[in-house]
């Protein structure tokens, strides 16, 4: 569907990615439509899978999660079965908020949150004790420098237009 998106669709996506709680009336005003056609376009973008979900972005520190860190994991064996077993285990850990498979020396990178260093160390201990885990490197975050939504709408829209 990407090839069929017009400038209004891109504007809708930009506005919703910036603020998913915006009302349809306000969204329509910002993109230059009346409310009913704007809602139809949003529903079409949702049906096409371009808009996957809406969520609030919470402040982890204000909710008691003092530690944000990354864990990079290398497995001993990267067979389909072993990868699926590791992925399933990761899905069971609430402190793991994102997990990506990677190419190269590292098989997975995980973004984690923890209420304190002891809780994070507990997660690392569980992680390193898994049978197929060869190596784990961790990095505690210091400061957030940039936090943007995943898709750079402005760059994509300009390239399309």
């Amino acid at each position: 569907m990407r090839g069929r998106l017009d400038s209004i669709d891109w504007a809708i996506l930009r506005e919703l990615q910036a603020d998913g709680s915006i009302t349809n009336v306000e969204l329509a005003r910002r993109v230059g439509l009346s409310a009913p056609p704007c809602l139809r376009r949003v529903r079409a973008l949702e049906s096409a899978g371009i808009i996957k979900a809406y969520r609030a972005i919470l402040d982890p520190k204000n909710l008691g999660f003092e530690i944000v860190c990354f864990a990079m994991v290398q497995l001993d064996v990267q067979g389909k079965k072993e990868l699926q077993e590791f992925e399933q285990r990761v899905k069971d850990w609430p402190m793991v908020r994102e997990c990506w498979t990677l190419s190269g020396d590292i098989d997975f990178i995980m973004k984690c949150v923890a209420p304190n260093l002891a809780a994070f160390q507990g997660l690392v201990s569980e992680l390193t004790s898994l049978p197929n885990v060869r190596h784990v490197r961790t990095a505690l975050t210091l400061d957030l420098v940039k936090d943007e939504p995943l898709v750079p709408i402005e760059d994509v829209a300009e390239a399309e237009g």
Side-chain angles (χ1 to χ4, degrees):
M1 178 162 175
R2 179 179 164 181
R4 295 184 296 180
L5 298 178
D6 63 16
S7 61
I8 293 174
D9 293 322
W10 286 112
I12 289 170
L13 293 172
R14 182 181 56 251
E15 294 295 334
L16 288 175
Q17 188 168 247
D19 180 4
S21 68
I22 189 173
T23 66
N24 183 59
V25 171
E26 179 60 19
L27 177 62
R29 186 191 67 73
R30 289 185 189 180
V31 300
L33 290 176
S34 62
C38 183
L39 184 59
R40 280 194 296 275
R41 283 179 179 250
V42 169
R43 296 292 184 247
L45 293 165
E46 292 169 347
S47 294
I50 291 172
I51 298 174
K52 290 174 45 174
Y54 299 90
R55 61 172 74 158
I57 299 171
L58 308 178
D59 185 316
K61 288 192 184 287
N62 282 336
L63 294 169
F65 291 89
E66 295 295 322
I67 306 291
V68 177
C69 53
F70 290 89
M72 291 137 288
V73 179
Q74 183 181 38
L75 301 179
D76 278 326
V77 178
Q78 294 86 14
K80 184 176 182 178
K81 176 181 176 267
E82 291 80 11
L83 291 171
Q84 287 175 338
E85 286 173 354
F86 183 81
E87 290 169 10
Q88 188 54 53
R89 184 64 184 106
V90 166
K91 290 175 184 176
D92 293 336
W93 279 319
M95 285 191 277
V96 177
R97 305 313 301 163
E98 290 183 34
C99 181
W100 295 78
T101 57
L102 301 176
S103 63
D105 293 339
I106 302 297
D107 296 307
F108 293 92
I109 187 166
M110 300 182 298
K111 182 179 181 181
C112 309
V113 297
N116 53 47
L117 196 52
F120 173 64
Q121 288 170 321
L123 175 66
V124 172
S125 292
E126 278 189 71
L127 185 57
T128 56
S129 69
L130 291 178
N132 192 32
V133 172
R134 175 184 295 172
H135 184 70
V136 176
R137 286 190 351 233
T138 60
L140 295 174
T141 63
L142 300 176
D143 288 312
L144 179 63
V145 175
K146 184 176 182 179
D147 185 18
E148 294 290 331
L150 190 57
V151 179
I153 296 290
E154 293 76 15
D155 293 344
V156 176
E158 288 173 14
E160 296 281 323

